[in-house]
Amino acid sequence: MKVHFKGKSAEYEIEKSHFCAHAFVVKDKINERDGVNFITSNVDFLEFSDEHFSFDEIIKFLETSSDENTIIVDEFFEKDERNLKEKDLNSQKNHSNQNEDFPCNEEEKLCNKQEKFQLTSAEYFSRIFCKNLFVKYTKEFEKNKSFELSNVEKLEFFKDLEESEQELCFVKIEILNYDDSCDSISFNLELFPSGVSYKYGIYKNILRIILLGKMQNSELFAFLRSFIYKSKDKIIGEKIFTLTLNQNPFYKLKIKFIA
């Protein structure tokens, strides 16, 4: 499958996904054009107005630490060249058979020479893979809060969250030190953003909830503010609640529960 973008490649940012293996995000720097797109291995090629890149090329260079621009050499015409040579040989045989009965005049010979010349093509095509397309991933959260709290019946951990101005296509919510034997999360399903899919799981005491799909900021943050954390047992120790928007660590709340 090929994905088309309206602008030049330098007008986009590409960043590796840090919660989905073998995937990355393409963000248009021009407002109200292509927006933010989450690209997985279902896509074979990305075509911009001036360049084209394969999915594997982008993954390969996102996983390297080099900051240098790279020249990519494609064997773009090699297969066509072989086909043309075979076609040329077949054409010569046909002309040879025809000439036995119908000799070529000088004008036809000239046309044949021009045709052979036009069919000659380069075997390789090079492109520049620009480092400027890539965004360095940072683990620093834009908003960071930390405080102590005595045990409570429930905690609305995103209650005071201010909206982000960026276009959103995926969201990750994490709760660290989550104990599924006594901890629980609830939210208002009526506020769930329309047209969005989700998945969740618990691994090594971390609860992860991921939302995928383009969503309105107002809808998303109304939904997030409805989240409530509860525990059946007396909470001891530390809980950390994080929110990641479009790969960007956006909000981190660290709470130390005290007796």
Side-chain angles (χ1 to χ4, degrees):
M1 183 172 71
K2 182 184 290 186
V3 176
H4 297 270
F5 295 93
K6 297 175 183 177
K8 296 181 179 179
S9 55
E11 296 171 345
Y12 297 80
E13 294 177 345
I14 304 176
E15 183 181 358
K16 182 181 178 183
S17 172
H18 288 264
F19 60 84
C20 183
H22 232 55
F24 53 86
V25 178
V26 179
K27 180 181 178 181
D28 194 343
K29 297 178 185 178
I30 308 300
N31 293 330
E32 299 181 359
R33 188 172 61 178
D34 287 325
V36 180
N37 291 270
F38 186 67
I39 306 296
T40 66
S41 56
N42 291 330
V43 175
D44 298 310
F45 291 96
L46 288 80
E47 188 169 283
F48 301 90
S49 63
D50 62 337
E51 293 280 6
H52 69 275
F53 301 103
S54 73
F55 176 86
D56 290 337
E57 285 172 352
I58 293 177
I59 287 293
K60 177 181 177 181
F61 289 102
L62 282 172
E63 291 175 349
T64 62
S65 59
S66 175
D67 286 332
E68 297 181 356
N69 289 343
T70 305
I71 298 178
I72 299 174
V73 180
D74 293 326
E75 296 183 20
F76 193 74
F77 297 103
E78 190 172 16
K79 185 176 180 181
D80 291 340
E81 182 73 13
R82 286 197 297 268
N83 290 340
L84 291 174
K85 287 178 180 177
E86 291 174 4
K87 182 179 178 181
D88 193 29
L89 288 172
N90 292 332
S91 178
Q92 288 179 9
K93 289 179 182 179
N94 291 336
H95 279 300
S96 177
N97 293 335
Q98 290 175 3
N99 289 342
E100 292 178 3
D101 301 318
F102 305 99
C104 292
N105 56 35
E106 292 300 322
E107 185 177 349
E108 289 175 332
K109 289 180 180 179
L110 180 61
C111 288
N112 291 337
K113 288 181 181 180
Q114 288 177 345
E115 183 181 0
K116 290 177 183 178
F117 177 77
Q118 291 170 352
L119 291 176
T120 302
S121 57
E123 291 186 2
Y124 300 99
F125 179 74
S126 62
R127 294 178 282 118
I128 301 293
F129 199 87
C130 297
K131 65 177 183 180
N132 295 332
L133 289 173
F134 301 95
V135 180
K136 294 296 182 183
Y137 181 71
T138 173
K139 290 188 177 180
E140 295 181 2
F141 286 84
E142 289 184 28
K143 301 177 182 180
N144 204 324
K145 293 184 179 181
S146 179
F147 55 87
E148 293 183 346
L149 188 67
S150 59
N151 274 278
V152 293
E153 291 186 2
K154 64 179 183 179
L155 176 65
E156 298 172 89
F157 50 93
F158 288 147
K159 181 180 179 180
D160 301 321
L161 201 59
E162 296 179 1
E163 293 185 14
S164 167
E165 296 181 357
Q166 58 186 307
E167 293 182 56
L168 300 172
C169 72
F170 55 91
V171 173
K172 178 176 69 170
I173 301 161
E174 287 187 327
I175 302 177
L176 285 67
N177 304 322
Y178 187 86
D179 185 350
D180 61 346
S181 66
C182 58
D183 293 343
S184 65
I185 294 293
S186 62
F187 43 78
N188 188 345
L189 272 176
E190 293 182 358
L191 297 175
F192 190 84
S194 59
V196 174
S197 61
Y198 75 95
K199 56 184 178 180
Y200 69 93
I202 301 171
Y203 181 67
K204 293 185 176 180
N205 292 332
I206 300 176
L207 170 67
R208 290 188 178 91
I209 302 172
I210 295 175
L211 308 181
L212 296 172
K214 294 185 178 181
M215 58 197 89
Q216 297 292 327
N217 275 275
S218 56
E219 287 186 1
L220 172 67
F221 280 83
F223 175 62
L224 291 175
R225 293 187 190 106
S226 74
F227 272 68
I228 297 174
Y229 164 77
K230 294 181 181 180
S231 180
K232 292 188 295 184
D233 297 339
K234 184 177 180 180
I235 309 172
I236 300 175
E238 190 176 77
K239 301 287 182 182
I240 300 174
F241 306 86
T242 68
L243 176 65
T244 300
L245 305 177
N246 290 350
Q247 296 287 100
N248 302 313
F250 180 73
Y251 179 76
K252 180 180 180 181
L253 173 62
K254 183 189 292 185
I255 297 181
K256 184 176 181 181
F257 290 93
I258 57 176

